[in-house]
Amino acid sequence: MKRNIGLVLFFVVVFSLAFAVDPIKIGAVNPLGDITGNQSTKAMRLAVKEINDAGGVLGRPLELIVIDSELNPAKGAAAIERLATVEKVDFFVGGMASGVHLAQVPILKKYQKITVWAGAASHQVELAMGPDADWYFHLHPWDYQQGEGYGIGWREIVQAYPNVDIKKVFLAYEEGAFGTDSYTAYLDLYELAKKGEGPWQGIMDEFEGASFKSAALGGGDYRAMLNQAMAFDPDLFVWAGYDADAIPIVAQAKEVNFTPDLLVGAPPGWPADFGKNPLAENVILYGMWAPTLNDVSPVAKHFYDAYVEMWNEEPATYFAPLGYTNIYFLVEGIKKAGTMDKEAIISALRTIEYESPLGEVLKIEPSRIIPNQGFKYQKILQWQNGRQEVIWPLDLATAKLAYPFTFGK
Amino acid sequence: MKKILTPLIAIIAIGLLMFLPFYTGAYFLHVVMTILIYMTLSLSWDMMLRTGQLSFGVAGFFGVGAYVSIVSFANFGINPLFSIFLAGGFMAVIAWALGFVVLKLRGIYFAITTLALTTVFSVIIRNTPRLTGGASGKVIPNVIFQGDSSKIYWLILTLALSTILISEIFSRTRIHFAINSIRTDEIVAKSTGINIFKYLIIIFIITAAIQGVTGAVYSQQYGFVSPETTFSLDFLLLPMAMALVGGIYSTWGPVIGAIVLGFASEYLKLIMPYGHLIIYGIIIILIILFLPKGIFGSLKNKIQSSK
């Protein structure tokens, strides 16, 4: 009897091994110590869980292997080497920070695996990647696309709200790469607008910029810049800095009595609970996502609820839905290709239209250099009663624009 | 016996390192390359420290070297390998010129001035966009040796071994006595006829050139420079921590520190994706607290006391 049981167990083990299905391995490199990478990773894990619960892809489960980039270029590059050679992943996904991604580009080019990258907005990444990387899919809008998108957005807003008038634009920018790149992009767009061309035509008759030292880099006194802006008297005031600048800039604007009709902040991330600060009221921001999209997009609502249920926290950055999109987009491509063949998946990814939790459909188009670019524009949002309301795109709007800007009590 | 054993061990170790690309994978090789880069910076920082001067200019010299290499290649078509030598030469000239000013300073004044140099270099680079790409930096179409990991490794290994050799020359020649006496008591050193400025500027030039070359190699390895990443304080703080953990005022202290911290950082990350940096920081603090002479210094003391 004992012998028979042993024999049965032996056959069970042998058959299990023989018919075990290898998982499809996805290697992710994210900065886990930063909220963007942390929440993006959690959203990726959510997407993998949902897909596996639904039976996987091509009859195989997904396995997500995550390595921390530590926001360090050398570490980020080594992580790609490990995923390719030790973990032997089938695909790469990630990640944030252009400085880290630039160091990863030579390694990604070496392996040429299908890569779907969520962040890294600097046009330098596109330049480094070059036009031949047909295996590389970039989801986040490039820096220059964002500037174009805001112009399109404001023009549509001016048309939709007859009382809104934009002629003079002032850009306050932090003196680092992020701010300076924004300024350079605005200058190019202003040159086009002067000729009556480009997305800012008709709404940027005059443009001026001034730099400031970000509080994140040891600065924090914006009064000189704000006085310069006040003397210019802009209709649209935009500051491009970091989350640490958000509250002090608004506070000091109030202190010097600077109230432009439209006050816009364009940091990559906002401080936690900024919306609860009375100074946040009516401040406009640029971003790819807001929790209020739940009111207009069932996919956004599904993502939000599932994320909260799985992680017992709210997604606070758009890198969370972007990370979720990253996995689903790749999986939709594999499903459509019906095979793990690289060329077939590349072709499929180029043609699918994925309805994302960012409220819009993701489809691939060429950008200036690379053939496979995802999202093109960010959204224009506004803090109203502690909520980030979507103002533009108009078809996704969750509230009317509060205009002109006044300081909250 | 010791006379034969030491060179023999050195030859075997160099041989093993030389052939590493043939018996290891790309990932391990990449980790070793990063460790060798930081080891070179750590050792060069320690070489300056041996004179009693605490330099915080490592990231600045590293960054300028990186920029010289990328700009000379991208803007003027200079061969990447030659651009690395050019970076070293450029940094030597800059250090020579700066040396006449900063080497008059001592203690905290020297330290703060060298730290300020990093900011000054970064500001100059940000404000010369036509040459350097300004705040957004510069990328090159192809990394050195077309990204061949083995060749890049040998280049970095050559740099690290050369730095170890220079450090050993400093430790084994009469320069060593001059440096030690300057650090111990500058007035006594001066009264014995040691030309303090001469020795200080020689070390300052050599260490700055090493740091510049290291920056050049690093930038050629990854194919880009940007003020934020190239002048990152990581290139100052991590080499300092490595030297402190391994043991300062020696060649092998920074080498051991770089190996221990380099592998610990990578290993901790793999076994503990979240919170590994906290453990890493705690390890550094504990070693510095309980082994104030560093791993190498403590081992050396123990061996000497057991004899």
Side-chain angles (χ1 to χ4, degrees):
Chain A
M1 182 64 181
K2 269 186 183 173
R3 202 175 152 190
N4 287 345
I5 291 170
L7 212 59
V8 169
L9 280 174
F10 172 77
F11 279 110
V12 167
V13 171
V14 168
F15 273 95
S16 322
L17 288 173
F19 292 98
V21 182
D22 282 339
I24 294 173
K25 287 186 170 184
I26 302 175
V29 186
N30 282 332
L32 300 180
D34 185 77
I35 188 169
T36 56
N38 187 301
Q39 292 208 335
S40 180
T41 305
K42 285 175 175 168
M44 285 178 179
R45 291 201 188 283
L46 167 66
V48 167
K49 183 182 176 296
E50 286 181 347
I51 293 160
N52 283 341
D53 287 351
V57 195
L58 308 181
R60 295 167 65 184
L62 291 182
E63 185 185 350
L64 183 70
I65 301 158
V66 184
I67 299 185
D68 189 1
S69 75
E70 299 178 35
L71 287 173
N72 177 318
K75 298 269 184 185
I80 298 288
E81 292 273 24
R82 182 178 174 85
L83 289 170
T85 59
V86 180
E87 308 292 351
K88 300 197 186 311
V89 300
D90 301 296
F91 306 98
F92 295 122
V93 296
M96 292 89 213
S98 299
V100 175
H101 199 40
L102 278 167
Q104 291 168 324
V105 168
I107 320 293
L108 289 170
K109 279 184 174 176
K110 186 163 79 176
Y111 296 108
Q112 302 203 352
K113 287 179 187 287
I114 292 174
T115 303
V116 184
W117 215 254
S122 170
H123 63 280
Q124 297 282 27
V125 171
E126 191 182 25
L127 204 62
M129 191 53 80
D132 303 325
D134 65 342
W135 42 269
Y136 180 77
F137 293 79
H138 184 260
L139 301 187
H140 198 288
W142 297 114
D143 43 15
Y144 60 84
Q145 290 180 315
Q146 294 174 40
E148 288 167 12
Y150 305 144
I152 294 167
W154 285 117
R155 272 174 56 197
E156 287 186 15
I157 287 171
V158 166
Q159 283 164 8
Y161 295 86
N163 59 331
V164 176
D165 185 34
I166 303 175
K167 294 281 181 238
K168 296 168 80 175
V169 179
F170 189 96
L171 177 73
Y173 59 98
E174 65 87 25
E175 58 192 24
F178 168 64
T180 312
D181 277 349
S182 300
Y183 178 62
T184 312
Y186 267 85
L187 275 180
D188 292 344
L189 292 163
Y190 177 48
E191 287 305 314
L192 283 175
K194 279 199 290 190
K195 292 180 205 161
E197 297 169 9
W200 286 84
Q201 55 173 296
I203 55 166
M204 203 187 330
D205 292 351
E206 290 178 58
F207 173 71
E208 198 172 301
S211 66
F212 63 84
K213 193 172 179 68
S214 169
L217 303 168
D221 190 345
Y222 314 93
R223 290 176 186 85
M225 174 273 290
L226 289 168
N227 279 309
Q228 196 179 334
M230 202 151 62
F232 182 69
D233 189 23
D235 304 308
L236 175 64
F237 170 82
V238 186
W239 64 268
Y242 295 108
D243 56 350
D245 303 309
I247 293 171
I249 279 188
V250 188
Q252 289 175 29
K254 188 176 183 183
E255 185 188 315
V256 300
N257 204 22
F258 174 49
T259 44
D261 288 346
L262 295 160
L263 194 153
V264 183
W270 284 82
D273 297 334
F274 179 78
K276 291 177 185 166
N277 191 314
L279 289 169
E281 190 61 15
N282 298 339
V283 168
I284 293 166
L285 62 150
Y286 296 143
M288 293 187 74
W289 168 86
T292 47
L293 278 169
N294 293 350
D295 299 347
V296 291
S297 161
V299 184
K301 181 161 173 39
H302 164 78
F303 158 74
Y304 189 91
D305 293 343
Y307 185 98
V308 172
E309 191 186 338
M310 183 167 175
W311 298 108
N312 204 24
E313 68 175 30
E314 291 181 353
T317 154
Y318 66 73
F319 278 99
L322 202 52
Y324 184 83
T325 301
N326 201 332
I327 298 292
Y328 264 103
F329 171 68
L330 175 62
V331 166
E332 291 297 315
I334 301 169
K335 272 187 193 166
K336 186 171 183 187
T339 163
M340 285 293 283
D341 176 69
K342 182 180 168 186
E343 296 309 319
I345 296 172
I346 289 172
S347 299
L349 286 171
R350 281 179 173 167
T351 53
I352 58 170
E353 294 191 358
Y354 168 65
E355 196 177 344
S356 77
L358 294 149
E360 56 196 296
V361 172
L362 169 61
K363 53 185 176 184
I364 297 301
E365 286 174 26
S367 55
R368 277 186 194 168
I369 297 173
I370 64 162
N372 307 319
Q373 171 60 31
F375 297 107
K376 283 162 75 180
Y377 308 132
Q378 297 223 22
K379 298 175 177 64
I380 297 175
L381 315 167
Q382 187 172 38
W383 291 102
Q384 293 180 10
N385 302 314
R387 280 164 45 104
Q388 286 180 18
E389 301 288 358
V390 181
I391 305 299
W392 182 84
L394 298 170
D395 57 335
L396 290 174
T398 57
K400 293 270 178 200
L401 173 73
Y403 179 86
F405 170 78
T406 49
F407 286 104
K409 285 176 186 172
Chain B
M1 184 65 184
K2 197 187 168 190
K3 275 188 178 175
I4 304 168
L5 202 64
T6 310
L8 196 69
I9 291 171
I11 290 166
I12 291 169
I14 292 170
L16 284 173
L17 284 168
M18 288 282 288
F19 289 100
L20 196 66
F22 298 114
Y23 57 86
T24 191
Y27 164 63
F28 186 76
L29 202 62
H30 202 110
V31 172
V32 173
M33 282 193 271
T34 306
I35 290 172
L36 290 174
I37 288 280
Y38 280 105
M39 180 192 289
T40 309
L41 292 178
S42 182
L43 197 47
S44 64
W45 175 79
D46 186 78
M47 280 154 67
M48 191 69 211
L49 188 71
R50 288 176 218 170
T51 66
Q53 298 299 320
L54 178 63
S55 171
F56 285 158
V58 181
F61 298 138
F62 176 93
V64 174
Y67 264 92
V68 169
S69 179
I70 293 290
V71 167
S72 60
F73 170 59
N75 296 19
F76 306 108
I78 289 173
N79 177 285
L81 208 53
F82 183 70
S83 78
I84 292 169
F85 288 103
L86 189 70
F90 185 83
M91 269 339 295
V93 173
I94 294 284
W96 172 76
L98 287 172
F100 285 97
V101 183
V102 296
L103 291 173
K104 307 274 181 208
L105 305 168
R106 293 290 180 270
I108 193 71
Y109 301 102
F110 176 80
I112 295 296
T113 307
T114 49
L115 182 64
L117 282 176
T118 305
T119 311
V120 171
F121 292 146
S122 173
V123 167
I124 292 170
I125 276 163
R126 280 175 204 274
N127 288 287
T128 46
R130 286 192 176 196
L131 184 69
T132 64
S136 59
K138 213 171 192 66
V139 297
I140 52 174
N142 278 312
V143 295
I144 195 165
F145 304 133
Q146 306 298 316
D148 185 325
S149 303
S150 302
K151 287 180 182 170
I152 296 172
Y153 167 75
W154 286 320
L155 177 67
I156 294 172
L157 180 66
T158 307
L159 171 64
L161 291 177
S162 306
T163 310
I164 290 173
L165 186 68
I166 293 168
S167 174
E168 278 298 283
I169 289 170
F170 282 174
S171 304
R172 291 165 190 266
T173 59
R174 37 191 292 211
I175 298 174
H176 168 70
F177 300 108
I179 290 169
N180 266 4
S181 57
I182 293 169
R183 185 177 78 237
T184 313
D185 193 324
E186 203 174 313
I187 296 167
V188 173
K190 206 170 187 176
S191 65
T192 54
I194 292 170
N195 186 338
I196 291 170
F197 183 75
K198 185 183 95 178
Y199 284 106
L200 284 180
I201 202 156
I202 287 172
I203 308 275
F204 191 58
I205 288 170
I206 290 172
T207 55
I210 291 170
Q211 288 152 12
V213 168
T214 312
V217 171
Y218 182 87
S219 65
Q220 288 287 345
Q221 182 187 4
Y222 294 115
F224 80 100
V225 278
S226 76
E228 274 161 30
T229 50
T230 309
F231 289 96
S232 164
L233 283 182
D234 278 359
F235 298 117
L236 165 66
L237 300 176
L238 210 50
M240 277 171 61
M242 285 168 169
L244 289 168
V245 164
I248 53 175
Y249 307 142
S250 67
T251 300
W252 301 108
V255 170
I256 291 169
I259 293 169
V260 169
L261 288 188
F263 283 118
S265 155
E266 201 59 28
Y267 180 69
L268 278 171
K269 186 171 76 175
L270 297 176
I271 59 165
M272 194 188 293
Y274 295 90
H276 57 94
L277 288 174
I278 297 169
I279 304 297
Y280 184 64
I282 290 170
I283 290 172
I284 294 173
I285 292 167
L286 288 178
I287 292 176
I288 292 170
L289 273 178
F290 293 102
L291 299 173
K293 289 189 173 176
I295 297 169
F296 179 69
S298 304
L299 279 175
K300 203 174 158 187
N301 277 3
K302 206 163 189 178
I303 292 165
Q304 279 171 351
S305 62
S306 67
K307 275 180 184 174

